[in-house]
Amino acid sequence: MPLSEQFNAAAEKVKSLTKRPSDDEFLELYALFKQASVGDNDTAKPGVFDLKGKAKWEAWNKQKGKSSDAAQQEYITFVEGLVAKYA
């Protein structure tokens, strides 16, 4: 199966988790998904009072420079770990 299909399948699998992952796991999931699907973060950093937006922005920004394929592969591996832990 091509990497993009595995990535899309992993994105669907994560929706079927029966327990809620930790906030750090959610941020990692978000950052890898954004890096894989959009690429490097080139958006403006959210303001001081937008704590959730700032955390998401910083998590995504840490992935800067990672190729889409590498981010997709890491996302797939990360989702498999979450499925094993929370499904």
Side-chain angles (χ1 to χ4, degrees):
M1 180 185 311
L3 187 61
S4 61
E5 287 181 26
Q6 292 177 41
F7 175 73
N8 291 332
E12 287 302 313
K13 263 190 212 177
V14 85
K15 295 176 186 176
S16 69
L17 297 178
T18 57
K19 293 184 180 126
R20 187 183 190 287
S22 72
D23 289 343
D24 288 340
E25 289 168 329
F26 264 126
L27 284 173
E28 182 72 13
L29 199 60
Y30 170 81
L32 287 170
F33 183 85
K34 291 293 276 187
Q35 188 67 24
S37 57
V38 178
D40 286 346
N41 182 356
D42 61 358
T43 62
K45 188 173 186 175
V48 175
F49 298 109
D50 183 3
L51 299 178
K52 183 178 178 182
K54 187 177 174 187
K56 289 169 68 175
W57 187 92
E58 288 173 350
W60 181 15
N61 204 50
K62 287 179 186 174
Q63 301 294 330
K64 191 171 266 188
K66 188 175 290 180
S67 73
S68 176
D69 286 349
Q72 284 184 16
Q73 190 59 58
E74 279 188 48
Y75 181 86
I76 293 163
T77 303
F78 192 68
V79 167
E80 292 303 324
L82 290 178
V83 167
K85 189 173 178 182
Y86 295 110

